Amino acid sequence: MRVYDIITKKKLGEPLLDTEIDYVIKGYVANEIPDYQISALLMAIYFNGMSMDELISLTKSMVESGDQIDLSGIKGIKADKHSTGGVGDKTSLVLLPLMASSGLKVSKMSGRGLGHTGGTIDKLESFPGFNISLSSEEMFEIVDRVGFAIAGQTLNLVPADKKLYALRDVTATVDSLPLIASSIMSKKIASGADYILLDVKIGKGAFMKDIDHAVELAKVMVSIGENFNRKTGVVLTNMEEPLGYAVGNALEVIEAIDTLSGKGPDDFTTLCLFLNAAILSLTGLTASIDEGIIKTEALLKSGVPLSKFKDFVAAQGGDADYIDHPERFNHATYQYEIRSDINGYIAEIDAEKIGICSLMAGAGRETKEQSINHSAGIVLKVKVGDRIDANDILGTIYTGKENMEKELSDYFRQSIKIVTESVPKPQVIIGIVDKNGFKDLRKKG
Ligand code: URA
């Protein structure tokens, strides 16, 4: 077999055989095929797409490129969730306690953040002592006892994706539907859960900029999941503005604690309730999503998810006393309040710009080697649709960096658009996709 011929076939729009795809993935992971040939193939895939058969073959080869987690040692219904990432996305910190309190078992691998979106691991490391390097035995023990555990990626899961993703990042081929679908699904399948719920974010702060493309991606991921015998559902959600008010590691943890205490922002609480209800319905623990929402609301009120979160933090070595006393989290040295110059309505809060501003304040890293300041970030005071008066606070920037007030404030201001006419509040849940297709859940009018 010659890679040259495989590239040519794809360039001409002909489907690749599973043996050809496997040859390419194995050869690339073994460093036997150079980046420039894979770059050409990625670009041919970008333009000519992939059939479902090719996608299944690609996902299978990627899954088999590294370790696969066997969760059969854990009793109960094993479920996993994944978000395509967004600004202020602290969903795992609330959803996993909800899932565990609902009787599901969740063994989750998470990553660190890079660029303008944060990673769950970075947020959790705001707790002094929190340990993300768990052995499989430790992980299974915590999942059995508490219901969920979150570890960093110690195992060699899908090395093919690590190499391919890095190459896509520098060859302008990240935004290819088959490449995104196989990248996400290979990691979820290798992680071992039987039920997979995906939160696909749409909007300025997300990969998917419009609903049609997101629905197409969701349908493809559901088909891949079902092909590997994993029941897969997708919730499409809004990421035009940041989720909740807090952006930045410890700030987001505090907002997650508030949400688990029933005092969270409306949009974030709605999202967490809906996602838990969607996974309850996917696993058959409830007959419908509506029934799941009622059940999850009652659970949240009971306080059980909050105490699960405490058990989880303690089980992974973190100081769970911070949950009862969030004032113990480190405070940023500098805090800058940004106030509105005019009266009006909030028409836009650009999630990507807020994410970048938070990164500039020290909450994120631009290269893998950079360290982060867990107390840095932004707490917004407003959401799209809010009415404000001149001099009202729009948000507060937290940073440990000196002499950054002007630069950060100017950038923050650029992310917020204020108009004189009233603006409707955006809906956080856009729709769901399962094996029956797309269901639009946007309320009309
Ligand atoms: N998230 C992933 O894990 N992979 C992609 O390709 C895009 C988003």
Side-chain angles (χ1 to χ4, degrees):
M1 225 177 279
R2 289 195 330 147
V3 182
Y4 182 94
D5 298 332
I6 296 173
I7 299 170
T8 307
K9 253 178 117 174
K10 191 77 275 182
K11 181 182 77 176
L12 297 174
E14 292 168 22
L16 301 179
L17 302 172
D18 51 359
T19 46
E20 292 167 329
I21 291 173
D22 203 46
Y23 176 77
V24 165
I25 296 298
K26 284 210 173 86
Y28 189 46
V29 173
N31 295 321
E32 286 158 3
I33 302 175
D35 281 352
Y36 52 80
Q37 283 192 303
I38 301 296
S39 303
L41 183 62
L42 290 174
M43 194 55 88
I45 292 173
Y46 180 91
F47 282 113
N48 288 327
M50 280 187 135
S51 68
M52 192 39 81
D53 283 347
E54 288 177 289
L55 261 170
I56 306 285
S57 304
L58 175 60
T59 308
K60 183 166 180 291
S61 298
M62 289 174 72
V63 170
E64 289 171 356
S65 70
D67 296 331
Q68 294 177 55
I69 303 178
D70 176 5
L71 296 181
S72 57
I74 297 173
K75 292 185 277 306
I77 302 174
K78 276 115 11 185
D80 198 358
K81 63 77 65 169
H82 176 81
S83 150
T84 54
V87 176
D89 188 358
K90 71 272 315 167
T91 308
S92 291
L93 304 182
V94 174
L95 183 57
L96 267 53
L98 287 173
M99 287 167 70
S101 308
S102 307
L104 300 170
K105 293 286 164 49
V106 195
S107 157
K108 186 159 174 54
M109 296 283 162
S110 274
R112 293 186 188 282
L114 190 62
H116 73 279
T117 60
T120 302
I121 291 292
D122 294 321
K123 298 176 215 259
L124 286 168
E125 283 180 342
S126 305
F127 287 101
F130 194 91
N131 173 27
I132 56 136
S133 312
L134 302 177
S135 67
S136 305
E137 293 73 32
E138 288 167 327
M139 181 108 180
F140 290 1
E141 189 278 320
I142 298 171
V143 174
D144 250 340
R145 182 159 52 87
V146 179
F148 72 103
I150 302 178
Q153 280 155 12
T154 41
L155 292 171
N156 190 25
L157 287 193
V158 198
D161 183 61
K162 290 194 188 84
K163 282 199 84 174
L164 285 173
Y165 197 89
L167 194 59
R168 285 165 60 201
D169 214 16
V170 292
T171 55
T173 49
V174 167
D175 57 339
S176 148
L177 189 148
L179 297 178
I180 296 175
S182 53
S183 162
I184 293 176
M185 291 309 291
S186 59
K187 285 175 287 195
K188 290 291 107 182
I189 290 160
S191 298
D194 300 315
Y195 296 88
I196 300 168
L197 184 76
L198 304 163
D199 173 5
V200 172
K201 307 241 171 251
I202 306 170
K204 279 218 175 63
F207 269 106
M208 292 285 127
K209 307 291 179 204
D210 67 75
I211 295 180
D212 290 348
H213 283 101
V215 168
E216 212 186 321
L217 172 69
K219 285 183 175 165
V220 168
M221 293 196 292
V222 168
S223 298
I224 296 176
E226 300 290 327
N227 231 285
F228 284 83
N229 269 327
R230 314 298 168 98
K231 256 193 129 190
T232 307
V234 181
V235 180
L236 304 177
T237 66
N238 180 12
M239 188 32 79
E240 288 291 349
E241 65 176 336
L243 193 53
Y245 292 101
V247 180
N249 300 290
L251 300 169
E252 291 187 44
V253 170
I254 295 169
E255 189 162 81
I257 296 167
D258 286 346
T259 307
L260 285 166
S261 311
K263 296 176 295 190
D266 286 348
D267 63 336
F268 181 52
T269 305
T270 302
L271 175 74
C272 293
L273 293 174
F274 191 91
L275 290 175
N276 194 54
I279 195 125
L280 287 179
S281 153
L282 191 73
T283 55
L285 285 178
T286 59
S288 66
I289 294 184
D290 287 345
E291 186 192 327
I293 290 177
I294 295 167
K295 193 170 164 181
T296 311
E297 277 170 344
L299 254 182
L300 194 59
K301 284 208 183 89
S302 74
V304 174
L306 180 65
S307 77
K308 281 257 173 242
F309 189 57
K310 289 181 193 168
D311 294 346
F312 151 76
V313 170
Q316 294 201 208
D319 188 343
D321 183 61
Y322 278 55
I323 297 173
D324 288 325
H325 299 283
E327 70 284 357
R328 289 188 64 198
F329 284 106
N330 278 341
H331 294 279
T333 318
Y334 305 102
Q335 301 181 10
Y336 306 124
E337 277 177 1
I338 317 293
R339 291 173 186 269
S340 175
D341 300 326
I342 51 171
N343 299 339
Y345 294 87
I346 305 292
E348 193 181 308
I349 305 176
D350 185 316
E352 187 169 0
K353 286 207 172 90
I354 291 287
I356 293 171
C357 188
S358 164
L359 175 91
M360 287 159 57
R365 49 174 89 71
E366 274 161 283
T367 63
K368 278 193 242 163
E369 292 72 31
Q370 273 176 350
S371 61
I372 56 173
N373 173 355
H374 287 96
S375 61
I378 291 170
V379 178
L380 293 158
K381 261 275 185 282
V382 292
K383 299 290 289 180
V384 169
D386 284 355
R387 211 200 91 78
I388 47 145
D389 290 324
N391 211 35
D392 279 355
I393 300 173
L394 299 172
T396 306
I397 302 172
Y398 296 82
T399 183
K401 295 185 185 173
E402 253 178 298
N403 302 325
M404 287 281 284
E405 179 167 10
K406 178 157 183 352
E407 194 180 337
L408 290 172
S409 309
D410 288 351
Y411 205 89
F412 179 95
R413 280 184 193 284
Q414 281 173 31
S415 69
I416 299 198
K417 190 166 148 202
I418 302 170
V419 297
T420 49
E421 299 283 301
S422 77
V423 175
K425 287 230 159 251
Q427 295 173 29
V428 64
I429 307 296
I430 294 170
I432 52 169
V433 176
D434 58 20
K435 63 181 190 324
N436 303 315
F438 173 53
K439 189 165 169 202
D440 191 340
L441 295 175
R442 285 169 295 174
K443 296 186 184 83
K444 306 282 179 295

